[in-house]
Amino acid sequence: MTGTVPRRKIEVLVDAPLLPRLTALAAAAGVTSYTLFPALGGSGAGGRWSEDQVTGAQSKLLFMALMAEEKAQTLVAALEPLLESHGLLLMSSRVEVVRGGKF
Amino acid sequence: MTGTVPRRKIEVLVDAPLLPRLTALAAAAGVTSYTLFPALGGSGAGGRWSEDQVTGAQSKLLFMALMAEEKAQTLVAALEPLLESHGLLLMSSRVEVVRGGKF
Amino acid sequence: MTGTVPRRKIEVLVDAPLLPRLTALAAAAGVTSYTLFPALGGSGAGGRWSEDQVTGAQSKLLFMALMAEEKAQTLVAALEPLLESHGLLLMSSRVEVVRGGKF
Amino acid sequence: MAGIDALLSPVILFFVLGAAAAFARSDLAIPEAVAKGISLYLMAAIGLKGGVQVAASGLSTDMALAAAAGLALSCLLPLPAYAALRLFGRLDGVNAAAVAAHYGSVSVVTFVTGAEVLTSAGHPPAGYMVAVLALMETPAIIVGLMLARRAARVEAQPKGALLHETLLNGSVVLLTGSFVIGLVAGKPGFAPIAPVFETAFRGVLCLFLLDMGLVAARRLREARALTARLALLGLLFPLVHGSIGVLLGSALGLEAGSAAALGILAASASYIAVPAAMRLALPQADPGLYLAMSLAVTFPFNITVGLPLYTALALRMASP
Amino acid sequence: MAGIDALLSPVILFFVLGAAAAFARSDLAIPEAVAKGISLYLMAAIGLKGGVQVAASGLSTDMALAAAAGLALSCLLPLPAYAALRLFGRLDGVNAAAVAAHYGSVSVVTFVTGAEVLTSAGHPPAGYMVAVLALMETPAIIVGLMLARRAARVEAQPKGALLHETLLNGSVVLLTGSFVIGLVAGKPGFAPIAPVFETAFRGVLCLFLLDMGLVAARRLREARALTARLALLGLLFPLVHGSIGVLLGSALGLEAGSAAALGILAASASYIAVPAAMRLALPQADPGLYLAMSLAVTFPFNITVGLPLYTALALRMASP
Amino acid sequence: MAGIDALLSPVILFFVLGAAAAFARSDLAIPEAVAKGISLYLMAAIGLKGGVQVAASGLSTDMALAAAAGLALSCLLPLPAYAALRLFGRLDGVNAAAVAAHYGSVSVVTFVTGAEVLTSAGHPPAGYMVAVLALMETPAIIVGLMLARRAARVEAQPKGALLHETLLNGSVVLLTGSFVIGLVAGKPGFAPIAPVFETAFRGVLCLFLLDMGLVAARRLREARALTARLALLGLLFPLVHGSIGVLLGSALGLEAGSAAALGILAASASYIAVPAAMRLALPQADPGLYLAMSLAVTFPFNITVGLPLYTALALRMASP
Ligand SMILES: Nc1ncnc2c1ncn2[C@@H]1O[C@H](COP(=O)(O)O)[C@@H](O)[C@H]1O
Ligand SMILES: Nc1ncnc2c1ncn2[C@@H]1O[C@H](COP(=O)(O)O)[C@@H](O)[C@H]1O
Ligand SMILES: Nc1ncnc2c1ncn2[C@@H]1O[C@H](COP(=O)(O)O)[C@@H](O)[C@H]1O
Ligand code: NA
Ligand code: NA
Ligand code: NA
């Protein structure tokens, strides 16, 4: 594909009240560019949850950041304690981006 | 990447009223962990749709589940009749996850 | 995996007011099937943004389209001027789809 | 004249504004969550008011007659509609059955707008018409599915599931539930919540019809499957069904307002409960088609032209 | 009797309707954004009205006494609750501490519904009870975390951060802020906005309780972690805490309405501020458990059975 | 004094509460869909009320004069603003042009809040000022783009497209459409919807300004591009433009309320129509910059300090 470069895409499904901690850890690892997507609900070992709750305590969102391979390793390492203690889901995958200089 | 294991990510774009059937089929195939994301609109062979409809009949969401390779094959096979009859879109891709024991 | 075929998934993070232009360019490149997902917020070189703004000027969404490899190249080429001028993020990745004849 | 007055009331004008904005491709849009919230409010309000009125007036034979008439209309209207859609509309069996189900069922917003127009013209429909509305929502779905099953090899459905899904459709539950709450609470219980559910009703309806105008016109613009023949049927069905409803209501001795309301129910086409059921049970049918007909053709026609017509017909039948 | 009357008021009936719809697995649902919007409206309204009342009545010793009593209840009630959850409920230390924190804190919607019931029974709580409500939201969180820390090796928290997060929780800020605005604006400043924040209040509360019924019943249906023993505690805690609150209020000489309100606050369990804090500070605790107890057991119990009980007890204490 | 009174009205206090919550980093937030819904309601209400008033008072030369003055201000104010932004603000041409366009255009919420303040001070602006508001939204955009084109090689735009997008911007369409509906419906048609669009207006405005306070303060906190010089301009522009508007209105013989409203329009800076147009047509310009200036500096200044000032100036000009 013309003009694309490989990057790593890191996605973390995070509880809304935890987001500030996640972005702070990411920033400390040098990752300040990211995009957030809403999640609607789900099911896991801890039972079902769904966004239509008056209590916001269980709403979750997807943190997504693109970066170079090395930086991704730093980020995953930096997030690992939070992933462990709060049982968060992290996915890592390979994508190609256009205008790779930027990302 | 330290501590990650490969998993398959299955995503299905599903009409909101069909979701209970999809999750029932998935549960029957042994997949009870998933996350749902909202979709806003789209366009396909059947024309355009958009979420800002009073009628909820055309709103769609994305079902996403991570699992091991073998389970993914079972799931896709279990969903195939529903995919066929209702013309749903299923995507399958490879991702790495942290704390693979859990997923 | 039984019955799946490889496709390319193109995702573009686009400002809401720019969407009509993006879909027009995609249509001109022969891509008329796509799905839109909402984004909630993010951070980048241009600072933070978040969807909870009265002004809709900074809300963004994710344009996602599946297609064959060759078409993806055409699409990326067709979108490149818009990506450049408006600094949009484009990701391209490989997925498997079921019922590949359709997509 | 009541007709022109009704057309120039803000409620209808906001619908026209929404439609005009969508045709001009303005980016005006009401957030989906807000529109959904308003439609739930409208259903709760109409249910409550109906229940409170029935609590005041007591049960009556009129009520039983209107209920029976409504049920009959919901079951029977899809049959000639199906024939017309196949023969004149040139639809295949499954699509014809899906569309016919929409026309046997009812549109809550058309009813609500009609009740407002009738009330401000001095002919409020009886409170029990809300119960008739709830009764008419689902039978047409069953009839439509039976038609589809005769026409084509349709995937066997887990029957209980579908029945459950249609009978417990959110709008049916909210309407019926609010009706019962109104019945239990009566006038005194309703008084403290009347500012929200009665005084504010018309104003909120304006905002909702603004959204309906936007939605209907956008659908019309994007409707690919809509042929001229089908559009014509989308205008004829409400005219014919509405007249049948009014005449039936009058023949059963309902007062003018209730007879007109029965006509409005018959004339209206569903765009909430039925599309959801069809998407589940008849996935082969094209949602672009049935939503275009009910939402983009019949709904606007009823709001602007139909309501004054059915009202006038009911008044003429009432005055000997 | 006031109790039955209260049960048949539309406000409570809408809660029952929502719960029934969820148990019947209807797809009725109120958009999350709308429910959130309504809950913010309710907090602003209750805060404003409290502030306006205090502006009219001035400061009093009653107010100081009620505040002290509220603070004490929020700090102390978690302790016996924790013991009961460990010994009778068989929970581990961290989960017991998390649940106990919920029962020390308060539920705004329970208070709001109780205030409506009390007001329509002729015993409105004093305006300053809103300030007591705001005071009681957070101390229980601190106590709960201390209990958890004694029970298990809990991840050391950046303390300032958590304190900040609980004290500046949106609901606490909005309640307190609206209270102050009401205090500053007084009756004359409130008059022009009273149609929204006072006249419309009850009707909007109906819609909100419809949603709460849906949410509570769905939680109950999906609650896996809820044992019979824990469900029993979810009924006993409000009874015991509510009685303590009423007796304490009466002993301090508060009028019947305010004593009942203190009981309601003590009886209620948080499902907004505390769950968010627990998710942050005690991630090992199971949200399915504490939300099921507070939202799916205690909340419905308080709304339907508890409110009339605490009211009756307060009235009996008041009349010698 | 009217100024202090206005500052202590709940409408303004809710704005202050929102800003304070955001500065204290509270997680208080109003869902985007609800805030959007409220802003559409405010536009519909202000349009309707303006139309109803013009229907009552008839056309006048004042109206034509005010319209011409508004158009002239929207076209001309960007020019000196552009110069100041380049020379004193040290912005490049494209960013200066984008910011200048915002200051030529108007903010609906500033106008609405100002109209409330003026009305409760006994000087309601004339109904036609709503039409002037709608007229002033878009010309500044065209002027801003022309300035940008002179300053830099700006991507050639499909002209029709942009003109279409700005003229048919949702807020312009809703304002104008509601104005026309008010004109057609008149007092009698408006009466049944007045409880929603008039009685409830102030209370709803409180909730909206709470959100605006949150949004403005968050923007200010996160604004990186805002230099001290630009912030100063964000305070000077409204002062200068507001004074010009008031003086021009007074010179044209408008009554005090309308002259003050013209000043408020001139002083206000757009944060809906213009940012959207700039994002499309001038992607090189920095949204963080122009939104910070209009939303985080000028809007709060106008709401708290500007409104009383322009009112006082208009009253002094009126009383000889
Ligand atoms: N295998 C999975 N695939 C997709 N989402 C998952 C998976 N496992 C957990 N989740 C999501 O993570 C949330 C918490 O998971 P758990 O801690 O297992 O309850 C679930 O409610 C899901 O939304
Ligand atoms: N190639 C594609 N890429 C992304 N989304 C698609 C694609 N094809 C279909 N869709 C989505 O699936 C919906 C139904 O597709 P269709 O059945 O083709 O009308 C569309 O409205 C899109 O939201
Ligand atoms: N590396 C990245 N990963 C994820 N999202 C990004 C990245 N870079 C930019 N974005 C998104 O694109 C938006 C605009 O980016 P920018 O032009 O750098 O301000 C940001 O606010 C993010 O939402
Ligand atoms: Na019908
Ligand atoms: Na409590
Ligand atoms: Na201006």
Side-chain angles (χ1 to χ4, degrees), chain C residues 15 17-18 20-21 43-49 51-58 60 85-86 88, chain F residues 29-30 32 155 157 165 208 211-212 215 219 222 224 271-272 275-276 279-280 283 287-288 291 295:
Chain C
D15 301 72
L18 270 180
R21 274 193 215 172
S43 167
R48 283 204 198 174
W49 63 276
E51 179 56 28
D52 43 27
Q53 304 291 339
V54 244
T55 152
Q58 277 200 305
K60 294 190 207 282
S85 68
H86 288 74
L88 307 183
Chain F
I30 292 186
E32 159 76 353
E155 179 205 7
Q157 285 292 326
E165 270 147 2
F208 192 67
D211 185 57
M212 290 297 299
V215 167
R219 265 220 174 264
E222 289 170 6
R224 308 191 204 165
Y271 51 82
I272 302 184
R279 199 74 192 95
L280 277 172
L291 282 169
L295 202 53

Side-chain angles (χ1 to χ4, degrees), chain E residues 44-45 48-49 52 182 185-199, chain F residues 10:
Chain E
L48 278 172
K49 283 193 284 182
V52 168
K187 271 250 153 60
F190 184 61
I193 59 174
V196 164
F197 290 107
E198 193 159 58
T199 319

